[in-house]
Amino acid sequence: MLTRIITGVVGIALAAFIIQTGGALFSAFALVLSLVAWLEYVRAFAHKGIRGAFVLGALGLVLLWGCAWLGNAEETMAVTTGIVLLILLESVLLHGRFSFEDAAVSVAGVLYFGYPFAHMVLLRFAGEGQTLMTPLGAFDFGCAMIWVMFIGTWASDTFAYFVGSAIGSHKLCPTISPNKTVEGFLGSLVGTTASVAGLGVFFGLPVLEMAGLGLALSVLATLGDLVESVAKRYTGIKDSGNIIPGHGGVWDRFDSVLFTAPAVYYFAVLVLMND
């Protein structure tokens, strides 16, 4: 537990520095996270005898990240089409060594990690030139929304854990994640909604809309966690890796963010930036 706490504190401090710095540092960090998560994914499915297209997948992740950096939707579509077709073509060129199942799992992984981490980069650069005044000073709009995304996701996990540990008795998805409870999920709904609404007050954003975002983030964070749980049960692994002492792998730590990052981006673009 001590290792987990120390790692968590160091991780939050590092995340705060990277988020506040933004720019190339934040984007590069997002790319590294996506590549490490992809490696963990490929290793996980190797336990089932499924061979991931590691090199092509990594290339796809780099190109999707580059498209997010440039902010060009047409290039994103071109990259997605090209990488999907190339991975599928690999099942033809390497027939007997690389099956269609290998290709399908690889395509799923590239899209699963590539798009959410690309959305994280897009979110950090959203509303360039727009600042939000807070009691702690001015925040770039994109920086503020990254904090909303991370704090909302962390709040969902934290409230679910503590409420579930204290009063949880009804299993939410016992065949997928035995430790999750209905009570913990309800605690997450209330706690995350209140937390994100509080961030709305802090950043001077519309509180009612932010509360709605908090409610959505609670649901999405839970679903993101359950998706990884399904994958881990299928592949027979406990943790995706051990790169983060006491916390497992990057996939373990960012499974919920994979679902919440795109949601916050589109909320920012469609709701906040249209006001």
Side-chain angles (χ1 to χ4, degrees):
M1 178 59 75
L2 180 60
T3 300
R4 185 179 179 88
I5 293 173
I6 293 173
T7 304
V9 171
V10 173
I12 291 173
L14 178 62
F17 174 74
I18 293 172
I19 292 169
Q20 292 298 126
T21 303
L25 178 62
F26 180 87
S27 298
F29 193 64
L31 175 61
V32 170
L33 289 175
S34 69
L35 291 173
V36 174
W38 167 242
L39 174 61
E40 294 172 350
Y41 178 90
V42 170
R43 286 178 173 174
F45 279 91
H47 285 83
K48 293 289 290 185
I50 298 174
R51 178 184 175 186
F54 179 74
V55 175
L56 276 179
L59 175 62
L61 292 174
V62 171
L63 292 175
L64 286 173
W65 168 84
C67 291
W69 177 273
L70 297 173
N72 192 318
E74 290 184 359
E75 290 178 355
T76 301
M77 289 298 295
V79 165
T80 302
T81 302
I83 219 66
V84 168
L85 295 180
L86 282 174
I87 291 175
L88 292 173
L89 182 60
E90 191 171 350
S91 68
V92 175
L93 300 177
L94 298 180
H95 185 64
R97 289 177 292 162
F98 187 81
S99 68
F100 189 81
E101 182 183 17
D102 297 334
V105 169
S106 298
V107 167
V110 171
L111 300 182
Y112 176 42
F113 295 114
Y115 277 139
F117 280 108
H119 278 87
M120 197 184 302
V121 174
L122 290 172
L123 181 62
R124 183 58 182 84
F125 290 98
E128 281 193 287
Q130 182 180 348
T131 58
L132 302 175
M133 295 306 300
T134 76
L136 297 181
F139 279 73
D140 291 339
F141 178 80
C143 178
M145 296 314 298
I146 286 288
W147 277 117
V148 168
M149 183 267 292
F150 274 120
I151 292 175
T153 305
W154 293 335
S156 175
D157 293 342
T158 302
F159 280 103
Y161 174 77
F162 283 108
V163 174
S165 298
I167 61 173
S169 59
H170 299 85
K171 299 298 183 181
L172 182 65
C173 296
T175 59
I176 298 175
S177 185
N179 294 327
K180 290 191 181 300
T181 64
V182 173
E183 292 83 358
F185 176 62
L186 294 176
S188 169
L189 287 176
V190 174
T192 308
T193 300
S195 297
V196 177
L199 289 173
V201 174
F202 179 77
F203 287 119
L205 297 170
V207 176
L208 185 60
E209 285 87 342
M210 291 294 287
L213 174 64
L215 186 67
L217 291 184
S218 176
V219 175
L220 290 169
T222 302
L223 292 175
D225 185 87
L226 289 173
V227 166
E228 195 209 6
S229 294
V230 168
K232 289 198 294 186
R233 282 191 170 276
Y234 178 76
T235 56
I237 64 171
K238 183 179 184 297
D239 295 313
S240 67
N242 55 12
I243 193 172
I244 309 173
H247 291 264
V250 170
W251 187 11
D252 292 319
R253 288 302 89 206
F254 285 81
D255 54 357
S256 296
V257 170
L258 296 175
F259 275 58
T260 58
V264 176
Y265 173 74
Y266 290 111
F267 174 84
V269 170
L270 299 176
V271 177
L272 299 181
M273 292 173 65
N274 276 341
D275 284 350

